[in-house]
Amino acid sequence: MDFESQYRINEPSVVCENIDGEVVIIHMETGAYYTTTGSGALIWQFIEQSASVRQVAEAVTAEYQGDPMSITFAIAPFIMQLVDQHLIVPLKGAALPQLVVTPRADKPAFIEPKLEVYRDMQNLLMVDPIHEVDNDLGWPEVSQN
Amino acid sequence: MPAITLRHTYAGAALEDHLLIDLLVGYLHGTSTPIDVEPVRWCRLIEKAYAHKVAPILYRQLHRLGQPVTSETITAFGAWAERVRRKNLFLSVYLAHTLKSLADENIRAIPFKGAALARLAHGDPALRQFEDLDILVDPAHIHRAKNHMIAAGFALQFLPEHVRDLPLPRDHYHFQFRNQRMQINLELHWKTAWSRRNLHEFRVSFEQLWDSGAEITLAKTTMRTLSLEHTIILLCIDSLKETRVKLGRLLDLAALIQQHPALNWDRLLRHAGEIGARRIVETTLAAVHVLLHTSPPVKIATSSWLLDKLIGDYYLDVSLNQSVLRYFRSNIELRDTFRQKGAYVLRQFYTEEGRDRVAQFFIRSLGKSSQAGGR
């Protein structure tokens, strides 16, 4: 991965929103749904600002406690995953942004970014616990009788 | 195990019914009572909550209260509640996207029920069970909106081919869509409800519904849903149309009453009366008062045989009898119709012209009956 690369959100195919520190992403063409956990929302926020991979790594390192090298090694595959899923696309010739990072005395420990993929929304949309339950085991165990 | 004091009991209802209501009252009023009633069939409690569309709130209460649910059950229930939260987040983001795309086409749209109601009543889309998106569109733009949704990958469902392009298909009030790729169901309404006799239909234009609408923020997007008054009336009407799920609607109503104390109840009841739904609204609000201990600041009769039967046979799902339910519904509609007709006749006496009209009506009626008697 080129650390000077910049990316942009793959709009209009991708619709996203940061809700309470969790980014909800919908790819309108593939029908896949995603959420980010850990430091994913912060990384997404910097990518939205057209930051380069190096800038993202520096900014995340400033926000979290942890070894800068380990943080960088955790961020790179996450960004590659976003590229592989066509959620972000390369951005050529854009000016580098000035990222605003406020270093805090009580920095939280770094949590690896993760991208959760929900390809089969049917499972999620049909969340249905209604079934005969096993009287001994209780819900949600399905009755074998 | 600690002791529980059930706030009320209802003959014929299962322990889980009472317990569920008790936990919902706790959610509304921020109170908690430890549970020691045995044997609580937790699986049955969860199933009932799901059927009544209050399972996310039950999970929240059980989790918060640390009640003695078996750990396997609460873990599995927690995983389910998390999936509901995710699903509702996705649907909220998709709803915001759809409204923006309709606005780009100069089509104003009002989301209602679903995520919008979850925000309005509970402040959190994760706390309501809903499966689809409901959007009200100006009837003048309904076909443009329909074509827009089709272009966005949605397919029309459950509507015969020959009525799809009629200006406003008779006997219908919405277009139902499914987006197979996104696996989302969406309903585009030009009316909020269907009624054979045009009862319970808001007698206001889309423009008025828009202007009086309540602003909410969902998925970081500011949007306009139906006003609190219209939402409450609609919920009351819906609560009597469904035959199985009830507590969820009542809980929404109770939460709305609590969250919005400055609501103009006189105006709300007047609106309900204008569309023949005053008795429905009063009866449903009385059920909210009796079951969930939440009342609007207006006087509502809480001791009618109808209410008693509704709560026993209807809301608590004890010995559900469809023909009896139909009788109740038609009874309410009939009384509303008579009340409307009575009010109409009375209004005629306010003016001389009206009095003449009534007199002419009776003279004609007497003439017809004397002719019939003479044959």
Side-chain angles (χ1 to χ4, degrees):
Chain A
M1 171 179 266
D2 178 0
F3 278 73
E4 305 311 322
S5 298
Q6 289 169 270
Y7 296 92
R8 66 170 176 84
I9 310 301
N10 186 15
E11 290 173 321
S13 301
V14 169
V15 174
C16 62
E17 196 53 77
N18 184 331
I19 299 170
D20 301 330
E22 181 178 13
V23 182
V24 177
I25 308 162
I26 305 176
H27 198 300
M28 308 296 278
E29 284 167 19
T30 62
Y33 296 77
Y34 307 83
T35 57
T36 63
T37 56
S39 52
L42 189 65
I43 296 168
W44 184 267
Q45 181 193 313
F46 291 137
I47 292 172
E48 275 184 316
Q49 295 173 47
S50 313
S52 67
V53 177
R54 183 186 304 282
Q55 280 183 306
V56 173
E58 286 169 359
V60 173
T61 305
E63 292 268 351
Y64 287 101
Q65 268 184 34
D67 169 41
M69 192 59 79
S70 309
I71 291 177
T72 305
F73 280 135
I75 289 171
F78 176 73
I79 294 178
M80 283 314 299
Q81 202 183 358
L82 296 178
V83 173
D84 289 345
Q85 297 290 326
H86 307 288
L87 300 178
I88 59 174
V89 289
L91 178 64
K92 303 281 183 201
L96 286 173
Q98 289 287 323
L99 296 185
V100 180
V101 181
T102 323
R104 292 179 298 177
D106 55 340
K107 288 198 284 187
F110 176 70
I111 308 168
E112 264 194 38
K114 277 200 178 138
L115 186 69
E116 305 272 0
V117 189
Y118 301 88
R119 288 206 178 279
D120 191 0
M121 261 303 268
Q122 199 67 31
N123 285 340
L124 213 54
L125 291 173
M126 299 294 286
V127 275
D128 185 356
I130 298 300
H131 49 67
E132 290 297 315
V133 293
D134 188 299
N135 283 335
D136 295 327
L137 298 173
W139 187 88
E141 298 302 323
V142 180
S143 172
Q144 301 304 313
N145 298 326
Chain B
M1 216 178 261
I4 184 176
T5 311
L6 289 172
R7 290 181 178 83
H8 54 272
T9 55
Y10 207 89
L15 168 66
E16 287 77 15
D17 285 313
H18 293 306
L19 190 52
L20 179 59
I21 288 173
D22 218 63
L23 288 163
L24 297 181
V25 171
Y27 160 75
L28 287 165
H29 299 282
T31 54
S32 62
T33 27
I35 297 168
D36 84 335
V37 179
E38 287 190 86
V40 174
R41 293 166 296 180
W42 296 108
C43 51
R44 188 61 58 82
L45 180 71
I46 293 170
E47 284 174 6
K48 277 189 179 291
Y50 182 86
H52 281 288
K53 294 203 170 185
V54 292
I57 286 172
L58 174 70
Y59 172 72
R60 184 174 137 144
Q61 286 306 91
L62 291 177
H63 182 70
R64 279 191 171 178
L65 302 176
Q67 297 296 1
V69 190
T70 56
S71 61
E72 294 86 358
T73 302
I74 199 71
T75 304
F77 195 22
W80 176 85
E82 175 58 17
R83 289 167 68 198
V84 170
R85 190 186 72 81
R86 286 268 157 80
K87 179 206 73 173
N88 290 0
L89 271 182
F90 288 138
L91 287 176
S92 300
V93 171
Y94 198 88
L95 176 66
H97 163 75
T98 303
L99 295 178
K100 275 181 203 156
S101 69
L102 285 168
D104 289 345
E105 300 286 320
N106 290 322
I107 299 171
R108 282 192 299 188
I110 301 175
F112 67 111
K113 299 199 276 189
L117 177 56
R119 171 64 81 195
L120 201 61
H122 305 285
D124 184 352
L127 290 180
R128 245 190 129 242
Q129 281 174 244
F130 58 92
E131 284 76 37
D132 57 7
L133 304 173
D134 290 276
I135 300 174
L136 182 69
V137 173
D138 189 338
H141 299 148
I142 190 70
H143 284 285
R144 278 208 300 128
K146 178 190 75 177
N147 294 335
H148 177 78
M149 296 320 301
I150 290 170
F154 282 84
L156 255 178
Q157 292 194 306
F158 315 122
L159 195 63
E161 289 280 349
H162 66 279
V163 298
R164 289 184 177 192
D165 294 322
L166 292 176
L168 291 176
R170 226 175 118 84
D171 291 338
H172 296 275
Y173 66 102
H174 65 347
F175 289 127
Q176 288 171 277
F177 294 94
R178 167 126 183 112
N179 186 323
Q180 200 57 39
R181 188 178 62 232
M182 306 304 299
Q183 301 186 13
I184 286 180
N185 294 323
L186 182 145
E187 293 181 355
L188 272 187
H189 298 247
W190 59 89
K191 289 197 289 189
T192 49
W194 178 78
S195 164
R196 187 170 289 140
R197 296 192 295 274
N198 282 336
L199 267 174
H200 317 147
E201 202 180 291
F202 293 132
R203 310 265 162 84
V204 291
S205 65
F206 179 86
E207 203 67 28
Q208 287 167 303
L209 286 175
W210 176 271
D211 289 342
S212 65
E215 272 199 354
I216 53 166
T217 303
L218 201 58
K220 293 263 179 81
T221 305
T222 303
M223 53 187 79
R224 200 170 284 207
T225 183
L226 291 177
S227 72
L228 286 167
E229 292 155 24
H230 287 122
T231 300
I232 287 175
I233 294 170
L234 196 64
L235 274 173
C236 290
I237 293 169
D238 278 359
S239 73
L240 282 174
K241 279 185 178 161
E242 292 175 346
T243 51
R244 293 185 68 185
V245 177
K246 286 289 145 284
L247 281 174
R249 300 269 186 213
L250 299 188
L251 190 69
D252 291 338
L253 283 164
L256 286 170
I257 292 168
Q258 275 204 329
Q259 296 257 344
H260 307 281
L263 195 63
N264 188 335
W265 284 93
D266 290 329
R267 196 168 60 192
L268 185 150
L269 292 175
R270 201 168 56 246
H271 278 171
E274 283 164 9
I275 62 169
R278 181 163 179 142
R279 191 171 154 81
I280 286 175
V281 169
E282 286 188 353
T283 305
T284 312
L285 291 176
V288 173
H289 166 78
V290 172
L291 287 175
L292 299 176
H293 300 201
T294 306
S295 309
V298 283
K299 193 167 166 41
I300 286 171
T302 53
S303 59
S304 77
W305 65 272
L306 178 61
L307 175 66
D308 212 35
K309 290 299 283 179
L310 281 173
I311 292 171
D313 292 344
Y314 208 1
Y315 294 120
L316 294 183
D317 204 18
V318 181
S319 65
L320 198 67
N321 182 320
Q322 297 301 319
S323 61
V324 172
L325 292 180
R326 271 198 295 278
Y327 167 72
F328 283 149
R329 270 207 303 282
S330 58
N331 177 293
I332 289 176
E333 287 189 359
L334 208 60
R335 280 170 187 245
D336 273 326
T337 308
F338 281 136
R339 180 182 283 202
Q340 288 300 304
K341 286 188 173 167
Y344 173 78
V345 172
L346 281 176
R347 275 202 301 275
Q348 301 306 310
F349 286 97
Y350 294 165
T351 64
E352 201 165 321
E353 193 186 321
R355 283 194 291 273
D356 283 349
R357 212 168 22 238
V358 174
Q360 290 295 327
F361 170 78
F362 280 111
I363 290 165
R364 276 201 306 275
S365 303
L366 285 171
K368 277 181 192 167
S369 56
S370 64
Q371 278 172 13
R375 275 175 201 149

